[in-house]
Structures are given as structure tokens and as C-alpha cells.
Amino acid sequence: MRDGVLTEGRPVRWTLLGLTLVFLALFLVLPLAAVFTEALRRGVGVFLEAFADPDTQAAIRLTLLVAAIAVPLNLVFGVSTAWAVAKFEFPGKSLLVTLIDLPFSVSPVVSGLVYVLLFGAKGLLGPLVDDWGFKIIFAVPGIVLATVFVTFPFIARELIPLMHEQGTAEEEAALTLGASGFRTFLTVTLPNVRWALLYGVLLCNARAMGEFGAVSVVSGHIRGLTNTMPLQVEILYNEYNFVGAFAVSTLLAGLALVTLGAKSLLEWRYGDGLARTRRH
Amino acid sequence: MAIAIRAEGLAKSFGGTVAVSGLDLAVEPGELLALLGPSGSGKTTFLRLVAGLESPTAGRILFGDEDATHLSVQDRRVGFVFQHYALFRHLTVAENIAYGLRVRPRRERPSDADIKRRVADLLDLVQLPGLDRRRPAQLSGGQRQRVALARALAVEPRVLLLDEPFGALDAKVRRDLRRWLREVHERTGHTTLFVTHDQEEALELADRVAIFDKGGVEQVGTPDDILDRPATPFVAGFVGEAVRVPVDAAGSWIRIGDHQVRTPGENAAGPAELFVRPGDLVPATDPATAIPARVIAVRRGGAARRAELLLTEGLPAVEIDLPAGHCARKGDVLPVSLATIRLFTSR
């Protein structure tokens, strides 16, 4: 390929590479470094102390709880949706595919507002829910609902192209060999998409833990009760508790790095099963 | 004679598209029946209807005396081999072959030792011993199709269904596998249906051939029947690289353009179609019956030299096989005569 028609001259290549590196440093590496330096500015002791705050601990617990509910739910929704869309023909399929992308195209704040309008005190279903003595808005169920909505597309989007490309021949082979539909799903469909599925779960989890907009609208910011980690960061920051804010941020940044690392590992190790999903 | 599979008035449409309509076909036990036809003629749909992968819009399918029309695909006990193998990519060769045995309910499932023995036997049968630990991705196309056949045979199917099994393979491997499939069929004796659009494959491999067109069966017969006694103009035109030449028939004569040719039998008077295959024409020995044809192209194909001829200006060009040493060149006039006359009177 060297000196081929598709190779630009050396100055062009270096300029492009230089621009990319400067951009990466400025917008990705620098902020990430800032998070860690700010968090550790007054030493490891103060950094660790930030996590002793009961409200911060409550926020971490709530975030883990929300992700622990939202991710499995979306695992089930995502897999069943992808299965239906990729392996079967039915009327309204393209509408369903468009709907899957809705959470991506709608601003998270609007997603949150929708739930307030539905389940809020003056909302459509609000009084009904109130009668049952159940609280959704400004409570944990609302946060879970908003998170499920926002993170819904990740797993389905990851699986649909791969399942579609794999077609239905292997499933048909399993059926002719006597396997039931469910057995076929467990022994053929699921194993064939396992790495893409894991990848989707990682992305879904990262977003579930990091979601700010939608959760902010429905949470009500009740300290120690309805604050997730991103909301806690905002509160600490607004109170000029910079070390606290950045300390919690390091957890979220760490999560991002772990996700990124796992993603690279998956792509490197099981590129076959994933690379195709990149060709959306 | 007993019948292994019978289709009665079978029909299938997808939305508004008719894939199969009014199809009747009887498959004899232990025979190797080829389903041959152009693409879109319904042969693959028919195979999938037999397998239970599609359900018919109308008609019945019988396995022996049992009505199988509403039997689920799992209960039909068919072995299906797909064009693109459809091996389970995450399983090894041995696990692929054992799949059909392992998914059986516990009381019908063979013991692990039996499954192992069965897998080893099948690997021997398909001539792939020692590859049991490989993954499908590590095999060549021909090897994959052998594994697919072993997997289908493992469940002791009542009938073996092959959907263009060699369609994705190159010519050399195709020929080897064709011979091998014939051997396997002779050893195992399964009733076998296989779909192909390759006439050479169908005629060489099968006991009988069913010619499909427009969702129905045009003719079922031995390769000799199909080649020598085509029942319909479609069959006559479809097999043997025939060229359709419009002629006028009257009594025991036909008129091809400016030439008169005597036919063995009597024909109804009127327009007719003559189907000319490369083997039907021979260089003329008797000048009285010769047709002076003009050579418009010569090409070398395999052992013979094939020339394209114009019998009369304005008629479709016909082909003739000449010995490789023949010196016919473009522009020459070659006297030929018709050794075989295949005539269908136009309706």
C-alpha cells in the first residue's frame, strides 16, 4: 500500500495525525486527568474521606441498585426484541425498529419529563398510582423507569445486525434435528451472539450508572434517598465540595475506563463475533 | 409399490406470491430423487414443505400411510442438509453431529458412550476421522457439507432432504462429493430428495428426476425418460442444452426455414417446435437429406469442439458437437442432418 494511489503525502498524513492527537488530548485525556488530579489534590486521606459521607454512600448504593434492576430488565427486553426483529417477519416490524431507537433520538430530559407527566401528582396515571399507596416520581421506581427507558436500545441495537446476518438456517437445522424452539434459542441463538450480548450489557450498564438528564428530572434530589452518583456529583460541586465531587467522579470515570478496556479486550479476542456488528 | 412420501395437491404461497401450486409427487422408498428446475420453480419450497419448515396453504403430505401435513418439524424425523451448511458455529464437529441425539428427551437419549460411538461411526462414513475437535470455521466447504450430512444422518431420519447441497462448492469438489454422496446413499439406503439446478448433477446422481416449473412438477422419470422422452415442451427445452426452433409440420415432413426434413412419425399439421440439442445434429453423410448450415462461431469445450450453426437466416442458432480435430471455421458452410427429431406441436 505504501506510495499507492490511496496514500496521501507525508505532510498530509502527519498533519491529520497531529490534529487527531491534539483533539484527543484536549477533549478526552485532559478532562480525565483533571478528574483524578482534582480528586487527589488534597491527598489520598481527604479523597478517601469523601466516601465516608453517608449521602455519598447512599448515592453509590442507589446507582448500583438501579443498574442491577435496569440492566437485567433490558437484557430480557433487548434479547427478545432482537430475536423477534431479526428472526421473524411480522407486520409493523419497521415501526418497531424505529421505536427501539426512540430513546436515542429523544433528549434524556424529555424522557424524564414523560414519566413526570405520566406518574406525577397531576399526571395521567399519578392519582391511580397514589391510591395504591405507591410512589413513582421522586422515588426509586421513577429512577429505575427512566433508566430502563434511556438504556433500552443498547442491547437490542448490538444484537439485531449480528442476528440478522447469521440468519435462521442454524435454528432451522436445530429444529429439524428435534430441538424445541426454546432449546434452539438456548443452544444455538444465544451462544452465537454471546460476545455481542456481553458487549451490549457493558454499554447498557455504563449508561445506566452514568445517566444524568432523565434521572435528574424524576429523582427530586432527595439527599440519601433519591440521588444517584451523577446527581450526587452535581450537588457536591454546587456546594463547592470539589474534592468530594471529583472523588465520586473518579468512580464514574473508572467505570468508563473499565468498560472501554473490556470492550477492547472483547474486540481483540472475539473480533469475529463483534466486528460485524460495527457495520450498522 | 409402497410409497415413502406422497404430496397431494400441495400449495404454498407467500403473501401474494405463489411458490408451489397443485403439486402431486410420489417418492419411492430408498430412491434418490433429484428435484431439478430453474430458480423460482418451487423446488426448495417443496423440500421445506416436506421437512415441515413451511406449512402448506393447501394439500397434504403423507409419510408412508401417515398424514404428516400437520406434524411439527421436530416430529417428522427428517434429515435436512442446507446449501450453506448451517453448522452450529460455536460447537465442534463432534458436538454438531451429536446435537440431534443430545436434544432428545432423557428416556430416548442414548448414553454418552453410545453417542460417542455413533459420532465416530458417522465421521468414518463421511470420511472425516480425526476432525471431531475442529470448529466449522476450520473446515473447508466440502468438509463442512460432509459434517452437515453426518449430523443429519445421526438422528436416523425417515427421509434425507438436501437443498442444493453442493451449490456453494467449486466444480472439482462438487464432482468428488457427488460420487461420494452416491456411495453413502448406496450404503445407508435412505430415501433421499435433493434439490439442484445443475442438470448434469441431477441426471448423473439420481435414480429419478422430477422436473419443476412454475410451482408444479412437469415430469418425473429416470434420467433416460427425461432426456429421451421429454413429456412437455418445457422439459424438452430445459434439459440437454436444447434450442427451440419454430417449424411447420405437415404429415411426415417438417419445414425448417427453407428446408424440408422427413420425420419418423406422422405429425399434426401446423406450426410446431423442434428442440435441437448439440448431439442431435451430425455432419451429413447423405447429400439428399443434408441441410447446408452456416457456421457462425466455433469454440472448444472439453473433449469436443462446439459450433454454432444457422440452419436458415432468421432462425435461432443451433449447436453441434464436432470432434476436436474438425476443421470447421466461422463462415464455412457445413452440411448437417438431424439424427434425432424432438417435435412438439404448438397448441
Side-chain angles (χ1 to χ4, degrees):
Chain A
M1 275 306 284
R2 271 194 105 75
D3 299 325
V5 284
L6 291 179
T7 311
E8 297 292 347
R10 193 161 283 188
V12 180
R13 268 186 286 157
W14 283 14
T15 316
L16 285 174
L17 194 64
L19 272 174
T20 312
L21 286 179
V22 168
F23 182 85
L24 279 178
L26 222 67
F27 288 91
L28 293 175
V29 180
L30 210 60
L32 198 61
V35 168
F36 285 93
T37 40
E38 285 297 325
L40 294 164
R41 181 179 292 273
R42 289 201 262 143
V44 180
V46 183
F47 171 75
L48 290 176
E49 233 167 65
F51 295 110
D53 176 9
D55 288 350
T56 300
Q57 286 179 354
I60 295 171
R61 271 198 304 274
L62 181 59
T63 300
L64 292 176
L65 175 72
V66 168
I69 299 172
V71 174
L73 276 180
N74 274 336
L75 182 68
V76 176
F77 295 156
V79 169
S80 38
T81 311
W83 197 35
V85 167
K87 309 271 177 180
F88 301 98
E89 289 301 326
F90 51 89
K93 187 165 144 174
S94 55
L95 183 71
L96 182 64
V97 174
T98 316
L99 279 178
I100 295 171
D101 279 341
L102 189 68
F104 273 167
S105 48
V106 166
S107 158
V109 178
V110 176
S111 317
L113 267 175
V114 168
Y115 286 99
V116 174
L117 291 175
L118 267 181
F119 298 112
K122 293 199 170 82
L124 272 176
L125 303 172
L128 193 70
V129 174
D130 226 29
D131 286 349
W132 296 341
F134 203 63
K135 213 162 149 40
I136 290 182
I137 298 306
F138 305 145
V140 176
I143 299 175
V144 172
L145 276 178
T147 309
V148 168
F149 179 83
V150 171
T151 58
F152 177 75
F154 286 95
I155 292 172
R157 269 279 146 219
E158 207 54 51
L159 294 184
I160 288 170
L162 182 62
M163 280 188 169
H164 197 78
E165 183 185 287
Q166 289 178 345
T168 51
E170 283 180 54
E171 280 83 0
E172 286 179 345
L175 295 177
T176 60
L177 292 168
S180 66
F182 185 61
R183 176 113 194 191
T184 301
F185 175 73
L186 284 186
T187 56
V188 177
T189 313
L190 217 47
N192 277 348
V193 297
R194 58 196 189 274
W195 301 118
L197 183 62
L198 184 58
Y199 188 38
V201 166
L202 277 173
L203 291 179
C204 179
N205 182 59
R207 182 66 188 264
M209 291 190 170
E211 175 55 26
F212 180 85
V215 169
S216 172
V217 176
V218 295
S219 120
H221 304 268
I222 307 167
R223 279 169 192 250
L225 282 180
T226 65
N227 273 342
T228 59
M229 279 205 286
L231 302 184
Q232 183 71 5
V233 170
E234 189 201 21
I235 288 182
L236 292 172
Y237 188 83
N238 287 345
E239 289 171 349
Y240 305 106
N241 183 353
F242 295 131
V243 171
F246 280 104
V248 179
S249 298
T250 56
L251 288 185
L252 288 169
L255 171 72
L257 289 176
V258 168
T259 306
L260 205 67
K263 166 183 172 288
S264 310
L265 190 72
L266 277 180
E267 272 172 2
W268 168 68
R269 182 79 181 73
Y270 305 102
D272 287 355
L274 283 168
R276 284 172 284 217
T277 67
R278 304 271 65 84
R279 281 196 261 123
H280 281 218
Chain B
M1 183 183 256
I3 294 299
I5 301 167
R6 185 192 291 280
E8 290 176 352
L10 207 59
K12 173 73 187 175
S13 24
F14 298 96
T17 324
V18 177
V20 165
S21 66
L23 190 150
D24 296 303
L25 185 65
V27 185
E28 288 162 13
E31 78 169 328
L32 184 55
L33 177 71
L35 313 178
L36 176 66
S39 21
S41 58
K43 50 198 194 303
T44 291
T45 305
F46 171 67
L47 200 73
R48 292 171 61 86
L49 283 167
V50 174
L53 290 169
E54 310 284 355
S55 51
T57 330
R60 296 204 301 164
I61 296 173
L62 293 108
F63 280 20
D65 296 326
E66 182 194 0
D67 188 344
T69 316
H70 302 290
L71 213 57
S72 75
V73 50
Q74 289 94 344
D75 293 333
R76 291 202 190 188
R77 282 212 4 252
V78 298
F80 202 102
V81 174
F82 296 80
Q83 181 177 6
H84 296 286
Y85 329 121
L87 293 176
F88 306 127
R89 64 194 87 192
H90 64 289
L91 299 180
T92 63
V93 166
E95 287 165 342
N96 263 283
I97 297 174
Y99 187 89
L101 301 173
R102 292 211 184 276
V103 296
R104 284 189 184 169
R106 190 163 306 240
R107 59 205 143 67
E108 294 167 35
R109 195 186 309 156
S111 69
D112 280 359
D114 283 343
I115 291 179
K116 220 171 155 183
R117 202 168 319 121
R118 182 110 182 89
V119 168
D121 288 348
L122 284 162
L123 277 171
D124 276 343
L125 178 73
V126 301
Q127 298 165 1
L128 293 173
L131 294 187
D132 50 335
R133 284 162 194 276
R134 297 269 189 95
R135 304 251 168 203
Q138 297 166 298
L139 301 177
S140 71
Q143 289 173 328
R144 286 184 210 182
Q145 204 53 296
R146 286 165 193 251
V147 174
L149 186 69
R151 181 179 69 177
L153 287 172
V155 294
E156 285 149 18
R158 288 195 280 194
V159 53
L160 199 54
L161 307 170
L162 303 110
D163 185 10
E164 304 225 8
F166 313 134
L169 302 168
D170 64 59
K172 168 89 173 70
V173 179
R174 274 176 97 108
R175 270 199 306 281
D176 292 348
L177 277 189
R178 206 186 285 171
R179 200 168 310 128
W180 166 82
L181 178 66
R182 184 76 230 182
E183 281 168 30
V184 169
H185 178 257
E186 262 147 34
R187 281 171 64 182
T188 59
H190 282 99
T191 305
T192 305
L193 267 65
F194 87 99
V195 164
T196 179
H197 61 253
D198 181 340
Q199 335 182 344
E200 196 192 318
E201 189 169 288
L203 297 168
E204 193 183 305
L205 187 56
D207 298 317
R208 291 198 306 155
V209 180
I211 306 284
F212 274 64
D213 185 43
K214 299 194 184 88
V217 176
E218 286 274 314
Q219 185 178 2
V220 190
T222 62
D224 283 342
D225 289 338
I226 299 287
L227 282 172
D228 298 337
R229 290 172 289 281
T232 65
F234 173 79
V235 177
F238 182 69
V239 295
E241 303 172 88
V243 176
R244 216 178 261 245
V245 181
V247 297
D248 282 311
S252 59
W253 290 88
I254 52 170
R255 176 189 290 280
I256 308 171
D258 309 329
H259 315 291
Q260 294 269 15
V261 176
R262 198 180 236 306
T263 62
E266 290 283 316
N267 308 297
E273 279 177 321
L274 182 70
F275 291 88
V276 183
R277 295 185 197 152
D280 294 347
L281 285 170
V282 288
T285 45
D286 176 6
T289 60
I291 304 170
R294 195 157 60 78
V295 179
I296 55 171
V298 182
R299 53 182 201 276
R300 180 68 191 266
R305 192 177 290 281
R306 182 164 288 186
E308 274 180 52
L309 305 175
L310 269 188
L311 297 177
T312 297
E313 288 301 330
L315 287 181
V318 295
E319 293 181 318
I320 182 173
D321 279 337
L322 299 168
H326 199 282
C327 59
R329 275 182 314 178
K330 187 177 168 181
D332 289 355
V333 170
L334 185 71
V336 294
S337 60
L338 273 165
T340 312
I341 291 175
R342 235 178 300 275
L343 193 69
F344 283 89
T345 315
S346 305
R347 269 147 284 172

